[in-house]
Amino acid sequence: MNRKRVVIAGLGDTGVLTAIRLSRHTDVTGISVKPALVSGQELGVRLSRPADWARDYWLPFDRLRRLDSVRIVQATLTGVDLAARTVFGRRADGAPTAEEYDALVISSGVANGFWRQPTLQSAAEIGAGLRAAHERLAGAGSIIVVGGGAAAVSSAANMATTWPDKRIDLYFPGERALLAYHPRIWRRIQNRLIDLGVGLHPGHRAEVPVGFAGDEITGEPVRWSTGQPPASAEAVLWAVGRVQPNTDWLPPELLDQHGFVRVTPELRVPDHRGVFAVGDVAATDPLRSSARNRGDALVAHNIRAEFAGRRLRSYRAPDRRWGSLLGIQPEGLEVFLPTGHAFRLPSWSVERVVMPGFVRWGMYRGVRENNPLQ
Ligand SMILES: Cc1cc2nc3c(=O)[nH]c(=O)nc-3n(C[C@H](O)[C@H](O)[C@H](O)COP(=O)(O)OP(=O)(O)OC[C@H]3O[C@@H](n4cnc5c(N)ncnc54)[C@H](O)[C@@H]3O)c2cc1C
């Protein structure tokens, strides 16, 4: 019997995990703009300690054992013919590609700031981008971070830890930051930021300069629509959460009014058998939380169930964000729960148990060692 063909459109955090789960059971083709998983996670560690970040979050596909049997096409997605069950793309040399599928997984994520862009890149270009952002910030005596979400807070905290002599200020519009998290989490992180000497500036809503997409580190004064005098620093990091779904390659009837892919509770695209969406691109719930809540496992299960004529399972979203906020720190890894409680895994357990055991074996099913940034 012919093996079923699954095309995974976008190999980021969820696309890679979905491919890993399906690679033993189906013929998987992944379409990716990068030759690696370049995760959107842990911006603060990425900017301040890029080599540490790269070890865990920049994983060239040939390091992931369970992707050995997955055919990977490096191309930009350009379209899909749902009736003909074919996805189209364009390679770096301009040559078109067409991949037929029995099931399609849409996992093209969102664009956000300079650190998450769906651009075709070689390994050398990825490395150069990581180093350039780090060096720009390392060379600045003072840094403003604009934004009140996890990316902004994590960036301020990690930069203050790595560079204790720099002046670092965090400006956010609300009375508190981390509004999508339990209030207890902000109280805890706020104390940490104060201990680290980060200047906290609630009630500041930045005027984003006209024509500026927030996708580079700037050096001009920041103006506030909330009336305060402009603020200046040698470097300004914009983490204002202007996420854009990477869906310009999809027909509009698949999308909601904000451009995200509409899905049923089974993460299936309505009225299109065999088409699923998962991760930040999928309009599952207001927080679009399927990436961090094992949406990859659910989609992989449902694809196999649909092929076998079995019942599909449903996704249940938590109503608050959770997870790591600051990334791996010298004292360990703190994980925040939706209830606002936190637990800390000591660094020996992160180094010897969590990363090699749970992450590299349990989640990725085997990773060949080799840090691309060293
Ligand atoms: C196991 C796990 C744990 C997590 N833990 C946390 C946590 O603790 N705290 C937290 O805040 N978040 C966490 N997250 C979530 C994370 O912040 C994001 O939600 C996640 O990175 C989104 O993954 P994604 O695959 O949807 O998008 P992405 O990782 O952005 O992947 C999308 C991919 O598609 C590519 N693409 C886009 N458009 C095109 C195109 N036209 N052609 C070709 N390719 C394209 C992109 O370049 C990218 O490679 C976790 C996620 C996972 C999987």
Side-chain angles (χ1 to χ4, degrees):
M1 200 181 86
N2 278 349
R3 297 223 312 170
K4 297 282 191 188
R5 296 158 305 176
V6 179
V7 170
I8 304 201
L11 287 179
D13 279 320
T14 48
V16 162
L17 289 172
T18 310
I20 285 171
R21 287 177 179 276
L22 288 169
S23 62
R24 290 252 170 103
H25 312 281
T26 57
D27 281 342
V28 180
T29 299
I31 302 177
S32 172
V33 278
K34 323 271 180 206
L37 165 57
V38 185
S39 174
Q41 293 184 56
E42 309 295 9
L43 178 63
V45 179
R46 171 174 171 157
L47 294 173
S48 57
R49 294 182 276 126
D52 287 352
W53 180 87
R55 189 190 52 230
D56 299 323
Y57 293 107
W58 173 9
L59 301 176
F61 295 136
D62 58 11
R63 280 182 61 200
L64 295 166
R65 292 179 194 278
R66 283 283 274 271
L67 292 189
D68 289 352
S69 61
V70 170
R71 200 165 70 85
I72 295 176
V73 179
Q74 194 176 357
T76 301
L77 296 155
T78 53
V80 59
D81 183 334
L82 294 164
R85 295 184 163 250
T86 307
V87 175
F88 303 102
R90 195 178 45 248
R91 294 178 190 262
D93 62 3
T97 69
E99 304 296 333
E100 292 180 20
Y101 61 82
D102 298 300
L104 169 64
V105 179
I106 300 169
S107 50
S108 46
V110 300
N112 188 12
F114 58 84
W115 56 94
R116 240 176 126 185
Q117 290 294 327
T119 44
L120 269 174
Q121 277 186 314
S122 63
E125 287 166 332
I126 296 167
L130 288 173
R131 284 193 196 92
H134 170 74
E135 280 158 20
R136 171 76 175 85
L137 294 164
S142 56
I143 301 172
I144 284 177
V145 181
V146 185
V153 167
S154 141
S155 299
N158 277 286
M159 290 193 291
T161 306
T162 306
W163 297 305
D165 296 336
K166 283 191 206 308
R167 166 95 212 141
I168 296 177
D169 289 281
L170 174 67
Y171 290 84
F172 46 95
E175 268 177 42
R176 67 175 177 98
L178 297 178
L179 289 174
Y181 293 78
H182 194 287
R184 206 178 283 141
I185 298 179
W186 170 242
R187 286 202 290 277
R188 195 175 169 106
I189 299 266
Q190 184 182 28
N191 290 338
R192 177 90 54 88
L193 290 167
I194 292 168
D195 288 347
L196 286 166
V198 174
L200 298 179
H201 306 271
H204 285 69
R205 183 172 291 281
E207 280 176 13
V208 183
V210 179
F212 175 61
D215 53 0
E216 60 184 281
I217 298 167
T218 55
E220 289 77 42
V222 182
R223 299 180 189 288
W224 312 104
S225 62
T226 33
Q228 299 89 344
S232 298
E234 289 175 27
V236 180
L237 174 68
W238 297 80
V240 286
R242 292 206 165 169
V243 297
Q244 283 297 324
N246 294 320
T247 50
D248 56 354
W249 60 283
L250 289 169
E253 71 263 22
L254 262 47
L255 310 179
D256 71 6
Q257 74 270 32
H258 305 296
F260 294 87
V261 181
R262 290 185 292 118
V263 284
T264 65
E266 295 79 25
L267 302 187
R268 194 154 63 175
V269 173
D271 309 322
H272 292 284
R273 223 181 134 70
V275 182
F276 293 79
V278 64
D280 289 2
V281 81
T284 42
D285 59 289
L287 297 176
R288 293 185 291 271
S289 62
S290 66
R292 78 192 65 181
N293 294 299
R294 311 202 50 219
D296 55 289
L298 185 78
V299 163
H301 172 273
N302 283 354
I303 285 175
R304 294 182 62 204
E306 193 171 83
F307 286 156
R310 294 196 310 264
R311 252 172 60 99
L312 273 57
R313 288 193 198 138
S314 296
Y315 177 65
R316 285 186 45 209
D319 32 322
R320 282 217 167 97
R321 286 229 160 114
W322 69 279
S324 136
L325 269 164
L326 304 184
I328 301 173
Q329 301 293 315
E331 64 274 16
L333 177 68
E334 203 164 20
V335 179
F336 296 91
L337 302 174
T339 55
H341 296 96
F343 62 90
R344 181 181 298 156
L345 300 157
S347 58
W348 67 264
S349 74
V350 175
E351 269 166 42
R352 286 189 237 142
V353 183
V354 177
M355 293 314 288
F358 289 109
V359 176
R360 295 194 192 107
W361 272 110
M363 209 165 86
Y364 292 118
R365 314 285 164 92
V367 181
R368 299 180 179 100
E369 294 302 324
N370 175 19
N371 185 339
L373 210 62
Q374 281 175 340

